[in-house]
Amino acid sequence: MTLADFIISIIVISVFLIHVMYVQYFERKTIGHMQARLGPMRVGWHGILQPIADSLKLFFKEDIIPSQSDKPIFFIAPIIGVIAGVSSLAVIPLWETFSIADLNIGILYILALSSVGAYSVIIGGWASNSKYSFLGGLRASAQVISYEISMGLSLVGVMMMAGSANLADIVKAQSEQWFIIPQFLAFGIFFISALAETNRVPFDLPEAEAELVSGFATEYSGMRWALFFMAEYAGVFIMSALAAVCFLGGWSGPDIWFFSYVPDVVWLILKVYAFVFLYFWIRSTLPRYRYDQLMNIGWKILIPLSLANIILTGLLKIV
Amino acid sequence: MFFAYFAGMLTVLSVLVVTRRNPVHSVLWMLVLFVHIAGLYLFLNAEFMAAIQIIVYAGAILVLFLFVIMLLDLKKDESVRKFQNQWFLGLVIGLIFMVVLVSTASKITVIPPLGEYSVDAIKSEGSMMTIGKILYTEYLLPFEIASLLLLVAIIGAVVLAKRRIE
C-alpha cells in the first residue's frame, strides 16, 4: 500500500462520514414533512447546521458508565460497529475504475462485515448489565441470524446472473439491463432483509422504545451513544449502496444528451440516496412488527422465497 | 513474520478462550480467534475461505453460542473451579505428544509433486470459481453426502424439540 492509497482512503472515509452525519438531518427533515411538521429549523438556514450542533453537544456530554457493567466490552462495543460499517465501504465501486479495494469476493466481504457489526449491538446490550439492554441484545442476535440467511441467498441470484462476486463485474454485467428486472424477487427479499439487518423500522425490535426504553443503547450516553448511531447510519448507507450496485446498475447513468457528461459517481450517489429516502419513507409509514411476526416473515416467507429465486435463476440461465 | 504473528496469537487466544471464568468472555475471545484464522487464510491467498470463515463461524455459529450462553443462568458456575485435578497429567501427556510430533515432522524430507491447482492457477480464475468447479465435478458425491448428513441433523433437532413441547 502506497502513501497515495492511504490518502485516498482517508479522503473517501471523511466524505462518507460527513454523509453519515448529514443523513440524520435528511431523515429528520423527511419525516418532519411527512408528518406535516418542519423538522429542525433553528440552527442555521432551515436548520442546516443542526447535525454539527448535535455532534458538538454529544461530544461534550458526560460519558456515563454503569457501575455494574463489563467495562472493556462496554467500551469496545460501539467501536466494533463503526469499524465494521466504515470498512465495508472499501469494496463499493464508486466509478468504473475506482474502488478502494477491488476484491473478487466483494459481496461476501460486505456480508461478513455486516455479521461482525451485529456483535456491537449484541455485546453492547449484554455488557450494560441492564434488563432492557440485555433483551435488546438477545433480540438483535436472533434477528441477525435469521435475516442474514435470506439476504445472502437473495444475492446468490445476482451472483449467478453476473457470474462473479466482484462488485465491479456485477455493475458491468448490467450494461444492457439492470438486474432489478430479472431479479425483482431477489430485490424485494434483499431490501426487506436489509431493513432487518440494519435494525430499521419496521424491524427495529432491538431498540423498540415502547417496550425496551431504548433497547441495547439504554445505558449508553454521550459519544459512545453517538458511535452506535453512526454505525447504524453507516449500515444504512452500505446496504443502500449494495442494493444500488447489485440491482440498479451502480455507477451507470443514462447515456444521452448532457447526461453523459455527469460524473459516474453522481449517479451512484443519487441511487444510494433514493434507497435511503425509501428507508425513511418506510419508517414514517409502517408500525413496528411483533417479534413472532418478525421471525415468521424471516423463516417462513423470505428464506423459501429466496431459495425458489435461486432455482428460477438457474432455470433462466439454462434456457 | 506474518505467520509467526498469527501462530503466536492463535495459541494465546485459544488459551484465553478455555481459561476465562465468564463464558461470554470466552466466546468473545473465540471471535477474535476466528478473525485471526481468517487472516491466516488471507495470508495463504485463500480469500474465499477467509470470507466464509467469518460469515459462517463468526456470523452464525458464534452468535448462536452467545444466544444460548446469555439465556443460561451461569452465575453459579462462575464460582466453581473450572479445571479438574488431572490438569497436570494432561499437560504432561500433551507435551510428550508435542515432542513426538515435532521430532517426526522435522524429519519428513519427501516433498510430494505439486498438484495442478497452484497459487497462480487459482489466482487466474479466482478462488471462488476454482472451489465451485472442483466441488461440483470431482467431489460431487462427498458434497452430496455431507449435505444429506446436515439435513438429517436438522430433522433430528426438529424432532427432539417437538417431542419436548408435547
Side-chain angles (χ1 to χ4, degrees), chain B residues 48-59:
Chain B
F48 179 67
M49 290 292 289
I52 292 297
Q53 167 79 19
I54 298 277
I55 294 174
V56 173
Y57 283 91

PDB file of all heavy atoms in Angstrom, chain B residues 48-59:
ATOM      1  N   PHE B  48     -11.590 -16.595  -0.418  1.00  0.00           N
ATOM      2  CA  PHE B  48     -12.942 -17.139  -0.287  1.00  0.00           C
ATOM      3  C   PHE B  48     -13.106 -17.847   1.052  1.00  0.00           C
ATOM      4  O   PHE B  48     -14.096 -17.651   1.762  1.00  0.00           O
ATOM      5  CB  PHE B  48     -13.209 -18.113  -1.434  1.00  0.00           C
ATOM      6  CG  PHE B  48     -14.566 -18.748  -1.392  1.00  0.00           C
ATOM      7  CD1 PHE B  48     -15.692 -17.982  -1.594  1.00  0.00           C
ATOM      8  CD2 PHE B  48     -14.708 -20.093  -1.154  1.00  0.00           C
ATOM      9  CE1 PHE B  48     -16.944 -18.549  -1.551  1.00  0.00           C
ATOM     10  CE2 PHE B  48     -15.953 -20.674  -1.113  1.00  0.00           C
ATOM     11  CZ  PHE B  48     -17.072 -19.909  -1.312  1.00  0.00           C
ATOM     12  N   MET B  49     -12.078 -18.660   1.422  1.00  0.00           N
ATOM     13  CA  MET B  49     -12.129 -19.356   2.704  1.00  0.00           C
ATOM     14  C   MET B  49     -12.213 -18.357   3.851  1.00  0.00           C
ATOM     15  O   MET B  49     -12.936 -18.564   4.828  1.00  0.00           O
ATOM     16  CB  MET B  49     -10.875 -20.210   2.885  1.00  0.00           C
ATOM     17  CG  MET B  49     -10.799 -21.405   1.990  1.00  0.00           C
ATOM     18  SD  MET B  49     -12.020 -22.605   2.417  1.00  0.00           S
ATOM     19  CE  MET B  49     -11.352 -23.200   3.954  1.00  0.00           C
ATOM     20  N   ALA B  50     -11.466 -17.250   3.738  1.00  0.00           N
ATOM     21  CA  ALA B  50     -11.464 -16.254   4.809  1.00  0.00           C
ATOM     22  C   ALA B  50     -12.859 -15.674   4.979  1.00  0.00           C
ATOM     23  O   ALA B  50     -13.367 -15.564   6.105  1.00  0.00           O
ATOM     24  CB  ALA B  50     -10.461 -15.151   4.490  1.00  0.00           C
ATOM     25  N   ALA B  51     -13.513 -15.320   3.852  1.00  0.00           N
ATOM     26  CA  ALA B  51     -14.848 -14.727   3.944  1.00  0.00           C
ATOM     27  C   ALA B  51     -15.830 -15.717   4.537  1.00  0.00           C
ATOM     28  O   ALA B  51     -16.640 -15.380   5.402  1.00  0.00           O
ATOM     29  CB  ALA B  51     -15.313 -14.279   2.565  1.00  0.00           C
ATOM     30  N   ILE B  52     -15.741 -16.992   4.093  1.00  0.00           N
ATOM     31  CA  ILE B  52     -16.674 -17.997   4.602  1.00  0.00           C
ATOM     32  C   ILE B  52     -16.430 -18.235   6.089  1.00  0.00           C
ATOM     33  O   ILE B  52     -17.367 -18.408   6.873  1.00  0.00           O
ATOM     34  CB  ILE B  52     -16.512 -19.315   3.803  1.00  0.00           C
ATOM     35  CG1 ILE B  52     -16.996 -19.100   2.377  1.00  0.00           C
ATOM     36  CG2 ILE B  52     -17.267 -20.449   4.444  1.00  0.00           C
ATOM     37  CD1 ILE B  52     -18.439 -18.756   2.256  1.00  0.00           C
ATOM     38  N   GLN B  53     -15.145 -18.219   6.476  1.00  0.00           N
ATOM     39  CA  GLN B  53     -14.812 -18.392   7.896  1.00  0.00           C
ATOM     40  C   GLN B  53     -15.541 -17.354   8.744  1.00  0.00           C
ATOM     41  O   GLN B  53     -16.159 -17.682   9.754  1.00  0.00           O
ATOM     42  CB  GLN B  53     -13.290 -18.246   8.067  1.00  0.00           C
ATOM     43  CG  GLN B  53     -12.804 -18.092   9.480  1.00  0.00           C
ATOM     44  CD  GLN B  53     -12.740 -19.410  10.208  1.00  0.00           C
ATOM     45  OE1 GLN B  53     -12.724 -20.454   9.590  1.00  0.00           O
ATOM     46  NE2 GLN B  53     -12.724 -19.349  11.527  1.00  0.00           N
ATOM     47  N   ILE B  54     -15.500 -16.089   8.299  1.00  0.00           N
ATOM     48  CA  ILE B  54     -16.137 -15.034   9.084  1.00  0.00           C
ATOM     49  C   ILE B  54     -17.653 -15.181   9.026  1.00  0.00           C
ATOM     50  O   ILE B  54     -18.342 -15.119  10.051  1.00  0.00           O
ATOM     51  CB  ILE B  54     -15.739 -13.641   8.550  1.00  0.00           C
ATOM     52  CG1 ILE B  54     -14.237 -13.440   8.681  1.00  0.00           C
ATOM     53  CG2 ILE B  54     -16.481 -12.549   9.291  1.00  0.00           C
ATOM     54  CD1 ILE B  54     -13.781 -12.982  10.015  1.00  0.00           C
ATOM     55  N   ILE B  55     -18.211 -15.408   7.815  1.00  0.00           N
ATOM     56  CA  ILE B  55     -19.666 -15.437   7.691  1.00  0.00           C
ATOM     57  C   ILE B  55     -20.249 -16.593   8.494  1.00  0.00           C
ATOM     58  O   ILE B  55     -21.187 -16.434   9.265  1.00  0.00           O
ATOM     59  CB  ILE B  55     -20.088 -15.539   6.214  1.00  0.00           C
ATOM     60  CG1 ILE B  55     -19.693 -14.275   5.468  1.00  0.00           C
ATOM     61  CG2 ILE B  55     -21.576 -15.780   6.085  1.00  0.00           C
ATOM     62  CD1 ILE B  55     -19.938 -14.346   3.998  1.00  0.00           C
ATOM     63  N   VAL B  56     -19.673 -17.804   8.313  1.00  0.00           N
ATOM     64  CA  VAL B  56     -20.276 -18.986   8.934  1.00  0.00           C
ATOM     65  C   VAL B  56     -19.928 -19.068  10.412  1.00  0.00           C
ATOM     66  O   VAL B  56     -20.813 -19.152  11.261  1.00  0.00           O
ATOM     67  CB  VAL B  56     -19.834 -20.262   8.196  1.00  0.00           C
ATOM     68  CG1 VAL B  56     -20.329 -21.482   8.936  1.00  0.00           C
ATOM     69  CG2 VAL B  56     -20.355 -20.256   6.786  1.00  0.00           C
ATOM     70  N   TYR B  57     -18.625 -19.006  10.730  1.00  0.00           N
ATOM     71  CA  TYR B  57     -18.264 -19.221  12.131  1.00  0.00           C
ATOM     72  C   TYR B  57     -18.558 -17.998  12.989  1.00  0.00           C
ATOM     73  O   TYR B  57     -19.271 -18.081  13.987  1.00  0.00           O
ATOM     74  CB  TYR B  57     -16.787 -19.620  12.239  1.00  0.00           C
ATOM     75  CG  TYR B  57     -16.574 -21.051  11.861  1.00  0.00           C
ATOM     76  CD1 TYR B  57     -16.284 -21.411  10.566  1.00  0.00           C
ATOM     77  CD2 TYR B  57     -16.737 -22.050  12.814  1.00  0.00           C
ATOM     78  CE1 TYR B  57     -16.125 -22.731  10.212  1.00  0.00           C
ATOM     79  CE2 TYR B  57     -16.584 -23.372  12.466  1.00  0.00           C
ATOM     80  CZ  TYR B  57     -16.275 -23.699  11.167  1.00  0.00           C
ATOM     81  OH  TYR B  57     -16.130 -25.008  10.817  1.00  0.00           O
ATOM     82  N   ALA B  58     -18.013 -16.835  12.589  1.00  0.00           N
ATOM     83  CA  ALA B  58     -18.217 -15.651  13.424  1.00  0.00           C
ATOM     84  C   ALA B  58     -19.649 -15.160  13.315  1.00  0.00           C
ATOM     85  O   ALA B  58     -20.266 -14.759  14.293  1.00  0.00           O
ATOM     86  CB  ALA B  58     -17.245 -14.551  13.008  1.00  0.00           C
ATOM     87  N   GLY B  59     -20.223 -15.208  12.096  1.00  0.00           N
ATOM     88  CA  GLY B  59     -21.532 -14.588  11.891  1.00  0.00           C
ATOM     89  C   GLY B  59     -22.690 -15.444  12.332  1.00  0.00           C
ATOM     90  O   GLY B  59     -23.718 -14.917  12.744  1.00  0.00           O
TER      91      GLY B  59
END
